[in-house]
Amino acid sequence: MKKNALVICMVALLLLLSACGGTKGTTGETGSAGTDNGREQADQLKVVLLIPGTLGDKSFFDAANHGLELVKSELGAKTKVIEMGTDKTKWEPTFNDISAEDWDIVISGGSEITEMFNAAAEQHADKTFINYDTDIEDAPANVYNMSYSTNEVSFLAGAVAALATKSDMPNANKDNLIGFLGGMDIPGINAFLVGYIEGAKYVDPDIKVAVSYAGDFVNPAKGKELSLIQYNSGVDVIFNVAGGTGLGIFDAAKEKSKYAIGVDSDQAALLKETDPSKANLIITSAIKKIDTAILEAVTQAKEGKLETGKRQVMGFVENGVGIAENDIYTSVIPADLQAKVEEIKKKLENKEITVSNAMGMETSEIEAIRNSVKP
């Protein structure tokens, strides 16, 4: 009996050791899988976007944020967006602090931040920096700059405005007068203005354009105030080139039952769910395809194909700009006018029309262009 008991104990011990060995093997496989996950996580592309302002402008900054969302969803990247606010003294230290963190690609945008952005890039040569919208040519070896042919897309927006004001559209009047609201009287904004004026004059050489500058990109109340003045003067469509300030144009358009043209993003689409009556007055938008440009640049960087140290200018040919031809545009703009817009767009794509660029102009030249259409 003792012998049998001893045998039974030995068998039980062997079974226990076998079970422990099996458990050890399972743990090892889990650990191996964990190691693979850790390696995969370590290899995951890490991309950060720094906004020199705040989100919610339904334009420039929101378009960049959508680009980051595309990077996350389509490339599986780890992403983070940082709103740096409007206090410009905080931008440079933020660039320096974030650049020192564990990010593979650092993104921001605007000529205003370019100098400090480039300085941060020079201190972190192992990272890739993408400036999604700057007019400054020079770039360190690890910086990829982008800009857009805003003069060309504004030319088309001006053509739409001129066609609309001369039309039988319900909210158009008999005054041959359109409007422009810029955030500031600076070259980047005047690039839109000059193109807008030239596009309007292409349709009607006798067109008049009311021009206002808000002196601010984050003041919708100021935007509404200036827009109401224009609408009350006989303007029936205003082009928004004022960032968050330009949201006030849409408030004024709704109040006066007049038209507006958005900027950077399809602003009608962004407002359609929250305020359809306001969105229906935005007959089109002059779009910088910032979101897809960011996705394309990050994709190329991930594949080791991004040509840094240069600035890429994207126009109609490069699919970097365009106007919103959404359901509002197709329902509000008469078909014959849409055909004329399409004809002008094809000429721009084929380089049959040359649009002036305010970026290379003297202040006196821009002033002369403004005065040529002054009401």
Side-chain angles (χ1 to χ4, degrees):
M1 291 293 294
K2 288 182 179 181
K3 185 176 181 180
N4 289 339
L6 180 61
V7 170
I8 291 171
C9 288
M10 289 179 68
V11 170
L13 180 60
L14 287 171
L15 289 172
L16 179 61
L17 289 172
S18 175
C20 290
T23 302
K24 185 175 181 180
T26 304
T27 302
E29 289 170 10
T30 302
S32 176
T35 301
D36 287 344
N37 287 337
R39 188 182 302 116
E40 183 178 328
Q41 194 168 20
D43 292 342
Q44 184 183 29
L45 187 68
K46 295 178 279 293
V47 185
V48 61
L49 169 66
L50 296 106
I51 297 291
T54 57
L55 296 175
D57 64 346
K58 299 188 183 300
S59 179
F60 187 72
F61 295 142
D62 286 357
N65 187 52
H66 184 242
L68 190 71
E69 291 172 350
L70 292 175
V71 167
K72 180 178 181 179
S73 62
E74 298 197 18
L75 301 182
K78 174 185 176 182
T79 62
K80 183 177 183 179
V81 59
I82 297 171
E83 299 174 73
M84 297 192 294
T86 56
D87 184 352
K88 298 176 184 179
T89 63
K90 296 181 179 179
W91 292 356
E92 185 171 6
T94 303
F95 281 131
N96 292 333
D97 291 345
I98 299 303
S99 298
E101 294 180 1
D102 185 27
W103 298 101
D104 301 307
I105 299 176
V106 181
I107 305 174
S108 192
S111 296
E112 204 171 14
I113 59 92
T114 298
E115 185 177 345
M116 59 187 80
F117 190 67
N118 287 350
E122 289 175 338
Q123 296 298 314
H124 300 278
D126 59 322
K127 301 177 188 295
T128 298
F129 289 72
I130 296 173
N131 189 332
Y132 62 80
D133 192 1
T134 180
D135 298 310
I136 297 172
E137 289 276 0
D138 296 334
N142 59 328
V143 176
Y144 179 74
N145 286 338
M146 292 185 277
S147 66
Y148 309 83
S149 298
T150 53
N151 57 329
E152 292 184 358
V153 72
S154 297
F155 185 99
L156 198 57
V160 172
L163 289 167
T165 196
K166 291 168 64 69
S167 74
D168 294 326
M169 291 165 57
N171 297 322
N173 58 40
K174 294 181 180 180
D175 297 326
N176 197 24
L177 177 63
I178 60 176
F180 176 95
L181 177 62
M184 291 185 180
D185 186 358
I186 55 176
I189 298 301
N190 288 327
F192 285 92
L193 173 64
V194 170
Y196 183 66
I197 290 173
E198 289 189 355
K201 291 179 75 172
Y202 183 86
V203 169
D204 181 0
D206 297 322
I207 195 85
K208 299 299 180 184
V209 184
V211 179
S212 303
Y213 298 97
D216 199 329
F217 287 99
V218 289
N219 191 341
K222 183 69 172 179
K224 181 178 180 180
E225 175 191 343
L226 293 172
S227 299
L228 286 173
I229 292 171
Q230 288 196 17
Y231 286 134
N232 288 334
S233 72
V235 167
D236 48 18
V237 54
I238 299 176
F239 184 22
N240 164 32
V241 192
T245 296
L247 295 177
I249 298 173
F250 309 140
D251 294 330
K254 181 179 179 180
E255 185 173 314
K256 291 293 182 178
S257 296
K258 298 297 182 183
Y259 296 121
I261 294 176
V263 74
D264 291 338
S265 300
D266 182 349
Q267 295 195 291
L270 294 171
L271 291 169
K272 194 171 182 180
E273 288 188 8
T274 56
D275 198 333
S277 61
K278 188 186 295 184
N280 288 335
L281 295 170
I282 304 173
I283 55 178
T284 190
S285 294
I287 300 172
K288 293 179 182 177
K289 299 183 180 180
I290 292 171
D291 50 357
T292 54
I294 286 175
L295 174 62
E296 178 62 22
V298 174
T299 301
Q300 289 185 23
K302 183 179 181 182
E303 296 172 352
K305 298 177 182 178
L306 190 67
E307 297 182 37
T308 54
K310 60 179 288 187
R311 180 169 68 104
Q312 174 70 42
V313 181
M314 293 176 291
F316 282 102
V317 174
E318 297 80 12
N319 195 33
V321 296
I323 62 166
E325 299 178 58
N326 52 32
D327 57 339
I328 295 171
Y329 173 83
T330 56
S331 63
V332 173
I333 303 290
D336 61 325
L337 300 190
Q338 292 181 45
K340 290 180 181 178
V341 173
E342 185 65 23
E343 179 184 331
I344 296 170
K345 181 170 71 173
K346 291 297 182 185
K347 289 182 177 180
L348 287 165
E349 291 173 347
N350 296 331
K351 301 298 183 182
E352 296 175 39
I353 296 175
T354 300
V355 186
S356 301
N357 193 339
M359 298 306 296
M361 290 183 178
E362 298 291 335
T363 303
S364 58
E365 293 179 86
I366 296 171
E367 184 65 21
I369 292 171
R370 279 195 294 252
N371 288 336
S372 73
V373 291
K374 191 172 182 178

